[in-house]
Amino acid sequence: MSLWTMQNKQILDILDQDGIYYPDFQKSDYLHKIPKLSDLYNYFLTSFNAINAIQPDDQSGQGLIFCFMGYDYQTHEEVHADNFLDFIHRHVAINSLWEHLTRNPDNILLEVDFNHEFFNPLMLDINDFQILMPPVQALPPYTEDDLNRILDDIQTGNMPQAIMPSYVVQAHLPYLRPENILNVYHSS
């Protein structure tokens, strides 16, 4: 499964030195800038750890790497985009987030390959994630029942049926190793 994630280039030094990178929400620049996302991020982390039987320790289970991929809802398969940045720019649902992430010149775009057979990456459409961002409101076409169903699906590890498909799916990784990285690109 090919996933794409925007990370600070320091991650490459960590991978080179330690051979593995464990995310930690306590160290997240994004959460420091937008602390109101903390409850939502922790909901994902708690759900991910429970579903994947991860017992948090000093390094693992303290955060998640947020990734993206194109997704075809008819075939339930990954869309292989030849140029991921073109794909992102064609999908309005993620444009403002992407603009925020690419403002930092120290951020890099990583194409990663991860065998999801051994864990559940808690996949969901980016629109469904965004409707859960504070302040949470059931704006049409979403209803309160939809919001509750999405939260229940996350907690049980099921991919929610997208209400308003964007064709950009968010997935989550517990760590990265050098062998997971297929390519490194500048963020622009």
Side-chain angles (χ1 to χ4, degrees):
M1 169 170 54
S2 275
L3 299 171
W4 300 80
T5 182
M6 188 72 72
Q7 298 291 321
N8 189 287
K9 63 185 174 184
Q10 291 176 341
I11 193 174
L12 298 177
D13 295 331
I14 294 168
L15 287 170
D16 190 43
Q17 181 179 356
D18 299 338
I20 193 164
Y21 167 72
Y22 289 107
D24 184 343
F25 285 161
Q26 296 295 321
K27 298 175 185 174
S28 169
D29 288 338
Y30 195 66
L31 277 181
H32 287 256
K33 290 177 186 170
I34 310 173
K36 64 183 179 180
L37 291 175
S38 186
D39 288 343
L40 180 59
Y41 274 42
N42 285 324
Y43 185 81
F44 271 82
L45 180 61
T46 301
S47 297
F48 185 94
N49 288 345
I51 290 162
N52 292 292
I54 295 175
Q55 297 298 318
D57 58 27
D58 289 340
Q59 292 185 354
S60 67
Q62 302 298 319
L64 295 170
I65 298 167
F66 287 69
C67 302
F68 306 98
M69 66 183 245
Y71 190 76
D72 183 330
Y73 285 94
Q74 291 181 332
T75 64
H76 300 286
E77 293 180 0
E78 171 185 358
V79 173
H80 295 282
D82 291 333
N83 185 329
F84 185 73
L85 291 177
D86 285 345
F87 177 80
I88 288 298
H89 293 302
R90 286 193 316 265
H91 292 81
V92 177
I94 197 171
N95 271 345
S96 63
L97 170 64
W98 207 256
E99 286 174 13
H100 174 81
L101 293 173
T102 58
R103 278 187 208 131
N104 184 343
D106 290 334
N107 283 351
I108 54 174
L109 177 63
L110 300 176
E111 180 183 4
V112 299
D113 183 31
F114 224 89
N115 179 357
H116 70 290
E117 307 275 327
F118 75 94
F119 79 101
N120 182 326
L122 293 186
M123 294 176 18
L124 80 159
D125 192 275
I126 193 69
N127 282 340
D128 289 350
F129 180 80
Q130 289 177 340
I131 199 71
L132 297 176
M133 294 173 67
V136 180
Q137 296 175 336
L139 301 173
Y142 290 89
T143 66
E144 286 293 327
D145 287 343
D146 292 327
L147 298 181
N148 291 329
R149 182 189 49 77
I150 293 168
L151 289 169
D152 289 345
D153 283 345
I154 292 164
Q155 196 170 41
T156 58
N158 296 313
M159 183 174 175
Q161 177 65 39
I163 302 298
M164 230 172 52
S166 69
Y167 304 97
V168 178
V169 167
Q170 181 172 295
H172 309 84
L173 301 178
Y175 61 81
L176 279 179
R177 294 183 192 270
E179 59 265 24
N180 300 125
I181 298 178
L182 298 176
N183 288 301
V184 178
Y185 303 93
H186 293 286
S187 61
S188 55

